[in-house]
């Protein structure tokens, strides 16, 4: 794991956008894994600016998102599909972009089909990740098996509480989600995990300073041969750079 520490969240987002843009421009990210949540917002804004300035194109890039809530449709503003449309896909042409279908009649079949779609695309060249406060990656919560693939998962209470702000007007945060598994994520040829803010400091410490354990899903990344972590000082406060 290669750790880079930045002075603040903006600097980390800029570095992440530059990293992703470079991998795309050099043909090393034809299949791009994307994340949702607050952390990627600044990164996607910067990538949109690069496209608008004619410095970058996603026209031959196929995107796969990590996860989606179960039981809400893509036109619900709280869905990850809506988030991605608003933050990226409405503004930037991709060759294709995929996200698990949260309204699938047979979610388990959807999960298997999604995993097969990733394989059919040749696998993920670069996977962008955030990290949950409890160390989750995608919606792989503590206890998730390191050999897990795309599947239906139960969301932990802490995750539902952390994500409640995305569900205004008293909307309930779904109990379940579809998520790429830890093995699905580890199959990516390169991983860029971005973490900012002191709320992620303990998750990063557990992920990269404790022995790998399902108690901290992100710790699986210790075994990845090309995992890069971009953290601001606040998120890295419990890590010392390698
Ligand atoms: C959600 C997403 C994760 C994301 C995490 C942290 O649960 N499923 O992919 O990394 O939240 O989000 P944030 O960046 O808002 O802290």
């Amino acid at each position: 794991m290669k750790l880079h520490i930045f002075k603040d969240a903006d600097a980390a987002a800029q570095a992440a956008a530059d990293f992703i843009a470079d991998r795309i421009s050099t043909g090393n990210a034809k299949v791009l894994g994307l994340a949702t949540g607050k952390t990627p917002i600044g990164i996607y804004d910067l990538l949109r600016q690069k496209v608008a300035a004619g410095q970058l194109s996603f026209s031959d890039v196929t995107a796969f998102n990590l996860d989606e809530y179960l039981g809400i449709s893509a036109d619900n503003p709280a869905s990850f599909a809506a988030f991605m449309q608003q933050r990226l896909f409405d503004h930037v042409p991709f060759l294709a972009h995929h996200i698990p279908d949260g309204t699938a009649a047979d979610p388990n079949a959807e999960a298997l089909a999604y995993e097969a779609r990733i394989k059919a695309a040749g696998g993920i060249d670069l996977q962008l990740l955030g990290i949950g406060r409890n160390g989750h990656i995608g919606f792989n919560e503590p206890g998730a098996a390191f050999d897990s693939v795309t599947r239906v998962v139960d969301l932990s209470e802490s995750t539902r509480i952390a994500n409640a702000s995305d569900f205004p007007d008293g909307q309930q945060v779904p109990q379940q989600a579809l998520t790429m598994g830890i093995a699905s994520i580890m199959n990516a040829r390169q991983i860029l995990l971005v973490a900012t803010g002191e709320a992620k400091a303990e998750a990063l410490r557990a992920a990269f300073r404790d022995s790998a354990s399902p108690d901290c899903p992100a710790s699986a990344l210790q075994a990845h041969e090309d995992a890069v972590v971009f953290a601001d000082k606040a998120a890295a406060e419990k890590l010392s750079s390698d």
Side-chain angles (χ1 to χ4, degrees):
M1 178 275 280
K2 293 180 281 296
L3 172 65
H4 300 266
I5 300 174
F6 299 89
K7 64 181 170 62
D8 56 26
D10 288 346
Q14 183 65 63
D18 293 346
F19 184 96
I20 293 166
D22 175 68
R23 300 302 283 167
I24 291 170
S25 301
T26 54
N28 290 293
K30 293 241 183 285
V31 182
L32 183 61
L34 295 177
T36 56
K38 295 172 185 59
T39 305
I41 288 174
I43 300 170
Y44 295 154
D45 290 350
L46 289 163
L47 288 172
R48 286 207 322 266
Q49 288 167 31
K50 287 175 183 281
V51 172
Q55 298 161 348
L56 179 64
S57 170
F58 287 82
S59 56
D60 66 353
V61 172
T62 296
F64 286 91
N65 261 86
L66 278 164
D67 47 13
E68 178 60 279
Y69 292 105
L70 257 193
I72 58 172
S73 65
D75 54 21
N76 182 327
S79 69
F80 286 165
F83 172 97
M84 291 305 302
Q85 288 297 138
Q86 183 201 352
R87 291 290 171 183
L88 204 53
F89 301 143
D90 283 348
H91 313 277
V92 173
F94 277 69
L95 181 61
H97 52 82
H98 307 278
I99 191 163
D101 177 0
T103 62
D106 181 345
N108 294 314
E110 169 66 10
L112 292 173
Y114 197 75
E115 190 78 25
R117 219 175 298 157
I118 294 171
K119 280 194 176 48
I124 291 172
D125 296 307
L126 172 61
Q127 176 67 57
L128 173 64
L129 289 180
I131 184 169
R133 297 175 188 186
N134 63 1
H136 75 242
I137 46 178
F139 269 135
N140 294 283
E141 299 279 22
F146 283 4
D147 64 355
S148 55
V149 292
T150 305
R151 70 203 184 288
V152 176
V153 293
D154 295 328
L155 298 181
S156 69
E157 267 319 291
S158 67
T159 292
R160 299 185 66 240
I161 290 165
N163 294 8
S165 59
D166 298 329
F167 290 82
D169 314 324
Q171 265 195 84
Q172 286 298 305
V173 179
Q175 303 276 352
Q176 292 188 308
L178 277 165
T179 186
M180 284 170 58
I182 294 176
S184 316
I185 291 167
M186 289 292 284
N187 285 338
R189 285 174 274 279
Q190 184 175 48
I191 294 173
L192 173 62
L193 187 152
V194 182
T196 59
E198 61 181 342
K200 303 299 175 69
E202 177 49 31
L204 280 188
R205 190 206 58 74
F208 299 112
R209 290 297 174 266
D210 289 350
S211 305
S213 156
D215 293 342
C216 179
S219 67
L221 301 183
Q222 292 177 24
H224 198 279
E225 62 183 24
D226 194 358
V228 180
V229 175
F230 283 4
D232 68 358
K233 279 189 182 144
E237 66 179 1
K238 295 182 179 179
L239 294 174
S240 57
S241 57
D242 288 12

